[in-house]
Amino acid sequence: MQRHIAMCLVGLMGGVTAFAGSDIFDVSVGDFPRQAGETGDSARIMRAITAAGKGGVVWFPRGEYAIDEMLIVSNQTSLLLHKSASLKAVREMPYVMRYFGGQLEKGVLADHNLFIKGGQFDGNGLAGCANVMGLKHFTMADTTYRNGKRVGLQLGDPSLPRSTEGGYEIICNNLYFVCNLSGLAGNVGFLTYIGDSHFTDIVVVDYTIGIRDCKWSNRYTRCHVWGGPVKKAGTNIPEMLENSIAFDLQGADCVLEDSYADTAMVGYNVCNDARIFNCAYFNNWVFKMDNPTVFCHKGGSLIVSGCRFSKNSPNATLYKREARAGKLTWKDNNLLNFNEKDCEELNRELKKSGQAR
């Protein structure tokens, strides 16, 4: 009966379709109660994951799960969470969960349909939310990453061997990153060391670095990064906006489309080849952050086309360039409220390259 009810519920979740009589999961965490002496839920969750086995699917019913030991998933099990299932850290640990896909190890037949979908991973200011690695064509969808200490979601881990931590063709859709606890300034919402992947409809709220890309050939579409609501303890000063960056583009050949850098001290920090189309920058003056910069161009070639950039604070800089930055191509961009002084460095670079603004 529990499986039938869960199947009906999951059929209502975005991105998941259930057909009458189908088996959409193999094991439910609800069938694995706490054992004597257990005060948290990590042990019973791991029993469910082990029982599902390679290629299995584990279902997390609605409710809050107290994560008292970091979950380590290494048997190529997929995770399906009720939209109101929350895995919440209750003590300090590196992450709520580390997921090792094992897809890059020699001799392993890849399962191209592994996934993590639904629910919430809550670091609770005590842990990073999740670290996922070793994947080929892996899907992540419809999940919230809340109050990550140091990081919300990290893909890959360059401190580990490439065969263990690497991957490609990660498909992420409808992910939400949010902090509502103070004391987490300096953290990163979404961090990837995995390339050749697609990230769509991602929203990051109040992580100091919204999206940090450290690999190559990743594509971002309809991503929105903004900050301001979380205040420093005992003050009315926004905690996350100091030294904030909406898009930190360190990887090569990064492409952003229809994305929005909304209220960060740096909108786009470009350290390698990047292309930015139909994007925007806006600084919400209600948070009183002055002198932001839309583009810090530190390296690589940069193409910016069809974008809209607004100045809403008394002082702002549209474009700053460092010595090792490559060619800038600037085309059909709409500027609001920027004066000539705000655009001095941009105009100098465009004139040098024979382009007109």
Side-chain angles (χ1 to χ4, degrees):
M1 177 62 72
Q2 184 183 46
R3 176 174 295 190
H4 175 72
I5 293 171
M7 180 182 71
C8 294
L9 287 171
V10 174
L12 300 176
M13 293 173 57
V16 180
T17 303
F19 298 94
S22 65
D23 265 344
I24 58 170
F25 64 87
D26 300 283
V27 169
S28 171
V29 174
D31 294 330
F32 291 79
R34 293 182 184 178
Q35 294 182 354
E38 293 177 353
T39 58
D41 295 304
S42 292
R44 72 185 186 100
I45 291 171
M46 288 308 305
R47 289 194 290 272
I49 289 169
T50 299
K54 184 176 180 179
V57 177
V58 175
W59 164 248
F60 289 76
R62 176 178 184 159
E64 185 171 284
Y65 299 83
I67 306 303
D68 52 341
E69 296 285 344
M70 184 172 65
L71 304 175
I72 299 178
V73 183
S74 58
N75 63 347
Q76 296 185 22
T77 296
S78 292
L79 308 181
L80 184 61
L81 290 78
H82 185 284
K83 76 170 201 64
S84 298
S86 176
L87 279 59
K88 186 174 183 179
V90 294
R91 69 171 188 83
E92 290 190 2
M93 61 190 78
Y95 303 93
V96 172
M97 179 191 69
R98 295 195 88 181
Y99 188 106
F100 296 90
Q103 301 283 31
L104 301 185
E105 297 172 3
K106 186 176 181 180
V108 172
L109 179 63
D111 181 346
H112 294 112
N113 295 312
L114 300 178
F115 62 82
I116 299 171
K117 296 180 181 179
Q120 175 175 272
F121 291 85
D122 188 349
N124 196 26
L126 299 170
C129 299
N131 182 202
V132 178
M133 66 189 78
L135 306 163
K136 288 183 183 178
H137 195 80
F138 186 87
T139 300
M140 307 185 74
D142 308 326
T143 303
T144 296
Y145 298 88
R146 186 181 298 276
N147 294 318
K149 182 179 181 180
R150 192 184 67 82
V151 67
L153 171 62
Q154 177 176 321
L155 301 181
D157 184 345
S159 70
L160 297 175
R162 173 67 178 159
S163 61
T164 300
E165 67 85 23
Y168 48 87
E169 297 172 3
I170 314 305
I171 308 299
C172 293
N173 177 254
N174 189 30
L175 303 186
Y176 190 59
F177 298 82
V178 62
C179 289
N180 52 25
L181 297 177
S182 62
L184 296 175
N187 60 4
V188 181
F190 174 82
L191 168 62
T192 182
Y193 295 100
I194 289 177
D196 295 349
S197 298
H198 298 175
F199 308 114
T200 307
D201 294 318
I202 291 175
V203 177
V204 184
V205 183
D206 261 336
Y207 281 82
T208 296
I209 309 297
I211 293 175
R212 172 172 282 165
D213 186 298
C214 297
K215 208 57 178 180
W216 52 62
S217 300
N218 286 320
R219 304 313 189 233
Y220 297 85
T221 305
R222 296 190 304 273
C223 297
H224 182 184
V225 179
W226 67 283
V230 173
K231 304 298 190 289
K232 290 183 180 179
T235 77
N236 198 37
I237 301 171
E239 178 178 304
M240 299 297 188
L241 291 181
E242 187 177 359
N243 301 317
S244 58
I245 301 173
F247 296 92
D248 189 15
L249 308 181
Q250 300 186 20
D253 188 30
C254 181
V255 177
L256 267 65
E257 294 184 279
D258 302 323
S259 293
Y260 190 14
D262 175 2
T263 312
M265 289 305 297
V266 175
Y268 304 89
N269 189 52
V270 180
C271 304
N272 215 322
D273 292 347
R275 291 171 281 164
I276 297 176
F277 305 113
N278 303 322
C279 293
Y281 176 85
F282 174 84
N283 172 32
N284 192 339
W285 183 236
V286 72
F287 298 117
K288 303 302 180 186
M289 46 175 286
D290 199 9
N291 202 27
T293 300
V294 181
F295 283 94
C296 285
H297 190 184
K298 296 179 178 178
S301 64
L302 173 61
I303 298 174
V304 183
S305 178
C307 298
R308 184 181 190 271
F309 305 124
S310 301
K311 175 186 173 181
N312 298 85
S313 53
N315 301 286
T317 300
L318 184 59
Y319 176 85
K320 289 182 180 178
R321 179 183 179 85
E322 294 191 359
R324 68 181 187 88
K327 179 182 178 181
L328 170 67
T329 301
W330 186 272
K331 183 179 179 181
D332 299 331
N333 296 302
N334 185 12
L335 306 182
L336 279 74
N337 301 323
F338 285 96
N339 59 40
E340 287 304 308
K341 184 177 184 301
D342 303 328
C343 301
E344 279 180 349
E345 198 157 352
L346 173 67
N347 291 334
R348 190 160 51 244
E349 184 60 26
L350 296 179
K351 183 177 180 181
K352 187 168 62 176
S353 61
Q355 302 176 69
R357 177 158 64 85

